[in-house]
Amino acid sequence: TTFGRGAPQPIPYADSSGFSVYKAGLFRLNKRFTDRFQMTTSYTFSALDTFGGDGLGLGDLPTNTFDRRADFGPGGLDRRHRLVVSGLYDFPDYGGDSAFGKAALDGWQVSVISIAYSGLPYSVFLPDSVDLAGGGSFTSYLPGTGHGSIGRDIKTVEELNSIIQAYN
């Protein structure tokens, strides 16, 4: 298209066709408060798949404007495994006759919360604005990888090194 005089100019285009798919399962064990102790353990298995440029605020841009599905995969906030353990212990009351001892030692509780989770997925791009797909985005994934494939499809350094050596 041409606006006024001069060379053709591109028309800016915004597209909101991206979407996310989140699936999860939660498993929980509770030990109710008895004998001055309480504990909860939760495990979540989840998967967040997104388009690279969806509205999660991570700043990804599409790598191939002709094939948007090439940018669909594990989202930047995807944590497949999450384990949360919490507990509370209520100390017994001070049994002595001292008023100071009662004031200082009665009513104490100790609690703990511990969280462990799997790593985030990453994407590997080619340097220097290489556009292998010819889609005009000037960004391409390292061939053999895709959106969020590091840490999901490619799990070891050896696998990544062999893909890099094949590209080189």
Side-chain angles (χ1 to χ4, degrees), residues 42-111:
S42 299
Y43 170 75
T44 304
F45 177 76
S46 65
L48 171 66
D49 292 323
T50 67
F51 280 101
D54 79 351
L56 294 175
L58 300 175
D60 290 344
L61 296 173
T63 60
N64 184 347
T65 55
F66 298 122
D67 181 13
R68 295 281 316 253
R69 295 241 176 239
D71 291 316
F72 190 77
L77 301 175
D78 181 38
R79 297 231 187 237
R80 294 289 162 105
H81 307 278
R82 184 180 307 257
L83 177 68
V84 179
V85 178
S86 65
L88 178 123
Y89 179 74
D90 185 21
F91 284 99
D93 292 337
Y94 175 71
D97 295 331
S98 166
F100 175 76
K102 283 192 178 292
L105 299 175
D106 277 356
W108 284 91
Q109 294 178 331
V110 174
S111 63

Side-chain angles (χ1 to χ4, degrees), residues 29-49:
L29 294 172
N30 287 321
K31 185 212 174 283
R32 296 182 184 261
F33 194 76
T34 57
D35 299 324
R36 300 187 170 276
F37 181 69
Q38 166 182 325
M39 184 173 161
T40 299
T41 302
S42 299
Y43 170 75
T44 304
F45 177 76
S46 65
L48 171 66
D49 292 323

